[in-house]
Every structure is written in C-alpha cells, then in structure tokens.
Amino acid sequence: MQLQENIPLAPLTTLGIGGLARFYVEATSRAEVEEALGWARAGDIPVFILGGGSNVLIADTGWPGLVLKIAIRGVAQHAASDSEGRSIFAVGAGESWDRFVSDAVRAQCAGVECLSGIPGSVGATPVQNVGAYGQEVSDTIDSVEVFDRRDQQVRELCNEACGFAYRSSIFNTTERERFIILRVTFALTPGGAPHLEYADLKRHFEGRETRPDLAETREAVRHIRALKGMLIVPGDPDCRSAGSFFKNPVLSEQEHEELEKRASARGLSLSAYPALARSKKVSAAWLVEKSGFSRGYVSGHAGISTRHALALVNRGEASAAEILALKDQIQQRVEEIWGVRLEPEPVMVGF
Ligand SMILES: Cc1cc2nc3c(=O)[nH]c(=O)nc-3n(C[C@H](O)[C@H](O)[C@H](O)COP(=O)(O)OP(=O)(O)OC[C@H]3O[C@@H](n4cnc5c(N)ncnc54)[C@H](O)[C@@H]3O)c2cc1C
C-alpha cells in the first residue's frame, strides 16, 4: 500500500471542490483495503471511502483522516448462466460504471442499458441504488462482496440483504460506513430486449418501426443525458456537478394532497410519478423551478446548470461553502412555498 499525504481532493471529484486529504491511499486489491483500514484503526484515524467522486461535496477544509480510494479492477463473466438463464458478471468496485455498461451492451446482455452515462465506479452503485430512465442497479444486482469494518471479515450480501429502495440501501442508511464494497455481481439477460418505459426514451424512438437494440438504447440514453448536461463531457460547464443535487421527494397520500392544493391555488398542476407503494414521488426539479430557481441561476461562483434545474454547478472556483449556501437557499424557499423539505442526494464529506 502506498500512503500519500496532503493530497488535493478537488481534482478527484466531478464538482471540482474540496480541500486536502490528510492521508490518501489508492487500494487496488482487497489486501490493500485491509492494510489501509488496519493502519487507520491502529492510529484511530477517521476513514472516508472514495470512488469516482461524482456524488460527493467535500468541505473546503478537506478530510482530516484517511481517504481510501477503491481501485479494485476486473470484470469476470462466469462461464455458466444462473438457474434463470442469466449471465453473471462479477465486477471490481473500482471499475468505471459506464465502461461496464458498455461491455454488457456489447455482450448483448440486457439490464443496465438505461444506466449508461452515469459517472463513477461500480462499487458506489449499490450505495444509493443508482437509477435512471426506468432502471435501478437493484434490478440486476445478484450479490455484493463487502469488507465488514465491524469484525474485519469479507462477506457476500445477497440482493435482499442490501435493503434497496429509491436512492437508498443499507450502505447509506442503517449500516452506513460499516461496509466497504469490494466487488458487485450482476445477473443480466443475454439477448434481452432493452427497457424502454421512460417517456424521454419513448419520445426519442417515436415513429420507428423496428424495436431499438441495446446499443441504440445506450446511445439514446447518452444523447438525452448530454442534452441535459448529465453526461460528463470535458469542457462542458454544466457537468461540473454532482448530478441531481436533490432526491425526488416521496410523499404520503396526505402530504401529496396538501401539495396538490398548494399547486392548484397557484394555478399549477403537479407532475407526479406513479405511486411507490402508498407514497407518491414528486419531481424535485419541478419544485425547484416553481420556487423561482430557473436553470442558469447564478449565485457567486455557484449556480444551477443551464440545462437541468437539479444540478448545482461549480461555475469555476466555487467553494463548498458557496454550493452549500445555494443548497440551503433552495431548500428553504421550496419548503416555504410548498411545505416539502428537499433532501440532498450527494454525500457531504468533512463538514
Ligand atoms: C453528471 C452526473 C450525472 C449523474 N447521474 C446520475 C443518475 O442518473 N442516477 C444516479 O443514481 N446517480 C447519478 N449521479 C450520481 C453519481 O454518479 C452516482 O451516485 C455514482 O454511483 C457515484 O459513484 P462514485 O464512484 O463517483 O461515488 P463517490 O462519489 O466517490 O462516493 C459516493 C458515496 O459512495 C461511497 N462509496 C463509494 N465507493 C464505495 C465502495 N467501494 N464501498 C463503500 N462505499 C463506497 C462513498 O463513501 C460515498 O458515500 C450523477 C452524477 C453526475 C456528476
């Protein structure tokens, strides 16, 4: 293991914000993960696990302990399918997520094509149950290999044990900071049809007579994402973000009714998603825009993407404090007007 000191974290994040890591290790194997954690434990040093840095806001003061970047590579496709005929891929946590999606699509395996273009590492995808365009990783995760910091054991968690829900799992709720994800195993459908349920995707292929294949679906998703500034394109100022800064609120029937009343009092109609069990998911972008924050909104060096109301962007030299101030301003205004508290999606580090 190579221990480094005082490493700038901003270049390791998509927002390009954050101070120094007091200590930094890039672990390319399970043994290095264990060694780094053992070292930190012996010195009582706090640890933060970093993947691709696309879902974090790191404090201007950085991280006072060890930043452990998980860089375990390797994609292994099992020779045999599972009992349901699905192809099994075991993928190192440090692999690029989008590269894995590209490999899966090339191998004609369905199940992750709509998740094309999401930045970051494979190992972070179970953490917030990454999702887009009608798919979530929980649909295809078979199991997750983890290092348990409680008893220093490596174990395999099956899908159900991960407690997946909308943008959540045990990894970012009940068992936060307990597990380090080393490898994720996906079960994909060979020769399966692409998932084309999402309105934007249907619109993209409108008028076509033949059903798009997986590769065309992947390209369509990347194209739609690029139009929204949700694809990392070097030099594009709209993608200096952490993606959506707020989750879509999931409301109870009663809260939803109250919100509808507020909307109709303003002559607006609410854009709601189909009910999630007995709750309703509301568009956070709609709430933000209807609270006076339009795309392209500027607040010092921070701002809102010109193409997506939910992406807070670093307009160049923004500090974490400026991004936080804009986040607070938006949360406060949305709550005042709509009675809904928006919950941030990125992980706040070192605050
Ligand atoms: C332009 C853009 C578009 C995006 N679009 C989407 C989208 O459509 N859908 C969506 O769900 N997300 C989206 N995101 C958010 C982000 O890409 C995902 O959450 C992604 O999975 C984060 O991966 P990462 O490796 O960058 O994680 P990081 O940002 O490095 O870390 C995020 C969290 O996961 C933890 N973590 C990382 N790796 C591990 C590991 N191996 N073991 C344990 N914990 C770990 C970290 O400690 C941290 O708490 C987008 C982000 C950007 C910048």
Side-chain angles (χ1 to χ4, degrees), residues 29-100:
S29 65
R30 182 209 283 190
E32 283 183 351
V33 169
E34 292 187 31
E35 190 185 351
L37 290 172
W39 174 82
R41 212 170 36 252
D44 205 14
I45 291 167
V47 178
F48 177 72
I49 304 298
L50 184 68
S54 63
N55 207 30
V56 288
L57 175 64
I58 299 180
D60 299 315
T61 47
W63 180 253
L66 169 68
V67 170
L68 177 57
K69 183 173 164 88
I70 307 298
I72 299 171
R73 303 252 184 271
V75 181
Q77 184 176 2
H78 292 194
S81 326
D82 70 359
S83 56
E84 291 166 48
R86 294 171 308 175
S87 284
I88 306 297
F89 293 80
V91 190
E95 286 289 338
S96 144
W97 170 254
D98 194 46
R99 200 165 317 130
F100 167 59

Side-chain angles (χ1 to χ4, degrees), residues 14 48-56 70 93 117-125 127-133 167 179-182 225 229-232 239 241-244 345 347:
T14 51
F48 177 72
I49 304 298
L50 184 68
S54 63
N55 207 30
V56 288
I70 307 298
I118 297 179
S121 63
V122 165
T125 60
V127 175
Q128 70 156 5
N129 183 18
V130 157
Y133 300 98
R167 290 303 167 275
F179 296 114
I180 288 155
I181 296 165
L182 304 171
R225 295 187 72 95
M230 283 287 170
L231 189 72
I232 300 283
C239 65
S241 76
S244 297
E345 189 179 297
V347 177

Side-chain angles (χ1 to χ4, degrees), residues 70-183:
I70 307 298
I72 299 171
R73 303 252 184 271
V75 181
Q77 184 176 2
H78 292 194
S81 326
D82 70 359
S83 56
E84 291 166 48
R86 294 171 308 175
S87 284
I88 306 297
F89 293 80
V91 190
E95 286 289 338
S96 144
W97 170 254
D98 194 46
R99 200 165 317 130
F100 167 59
V101 174
S102 160
D103 289 349
V105 165
R106 204 166 320 114
Q108 309 287 344
C109 288
V112 288
E113 63 282 353
C114 295
L115 303 175
S116 294
I118 297 179
S121 63
V122 165
T125 60
V127 175
Q128 70 156 5
N129 183 18
V130 157
Y133 300 98
Q135 281 179 338
E136 289 183 326
V137 284
S138 56
D139 302 334
T140 45
I141 286 180
D142 181 68
S143 62
V144 179
E145 184 187 82
V146 294
F147 178 81
D148 188 343
R149 294 176 70 190
R150 204 177 271 177
D151 59 7
Q152 331 309 324
Q153 295 296 311
V154 172
R155 43 177 55 98
E156 194 83 18
L157 303 179
C158 68
N159 181 302
E160 292 69 31
C162 297
F164 291 122
Y166 169 65
R167 290 303 167 275
S168 84
S169 69
I170 58 165
F171 307 114
N172 66 356
T173 56
T174 50
E175 304 293 350
R176 203 189 170 110
E177 295 183 9
R178 174 173 168 190
F179 296 114
I180 288 155
I181 296 165
L182 304 171
R183 197 167 301 280

Side-chain angles (χ1 to χ4, degrees), residues 142-297:
D142 181 68
S143 62
V144 179
E145 184 187 82
V146 294
F147 178 81
D148 188 343
R149 294 176 70 190
R150 204 177 271 177
D151 59 7
Q152 331 309 324
Q153 295 296 311
V154 172
R155 43 177 55 98
E156 194 83 18
L157 303 179
C158 68
N159 181 302
E160 292 69 31
C162 297
F164 291 122
Y166 169 65
R167 290 303 167 275
S168 84
S169 69
I170 58 165
F171 307 114
N172 66 356
T173 56
T174 50
E175 304 293 350
R176 203 189 170 110
E177 295 183 9
R178 174 173 168 190
F179 296 114
I180 288 155
I181 296 165
L182 304 171
R183 197 167 301 280
V184 187
T185 299
F186 295 88
L188 305 181
T189 309
H195 185 81
L196 296 173
E197 297 305 317
Y198 206 82
D200 281 1
L201 267 177
K202 285 186 178 163
R203 214 172 300 127
H204 182 90
F205 289 118
E206 222 160 45
R208 241 183 92 126
E209 301 203 334
T210 52
R211 194 177 171 88
D213 62 19
L214 293 175
E216 288 169 319
T217 304
R218 169 171 165 78
E219 279 324 303
V221 168
R222 288 178 58 91
H223 174 75
I224 296 166
R225 295 187 72 95
L227 293 177
K228 294 181 177 177
M230 283 287 170
L231 189 72
I232 300 283
V233 177
D236 177 353
D238 275 337
C239 65
R240 263 189 116 184
S241 76
S244 297
F245 212 89
F246 299 104
K247 298 182 190 180
N248 291 319
V250 178
L251 305 181
S252 65
E253 288 285 350
Q254 197 186 344
E255 288 165 335
H256 194 263
E257 260 172 42
E258 173 59 27
L259 185 60
E260 269 175 335
K261 275 190 211 146
R262 290 188 189 215
S264 80
R266 289 168 178 263
L268 298 168
S269 70
L270 208 56
S271 67
Y273 293 108
L276 263 182
R278 282 191 358 266
S279 305
K280 301 222 175 214
K281 201 174 0 151
V282 179
S283 163
W286 188 91
L287 290 168
V288 169
E289 290 196 289
K290 300 293 182 221
S291 303
F293 297 98
S294 49
R295 296 172 208 178
Y297 181 88

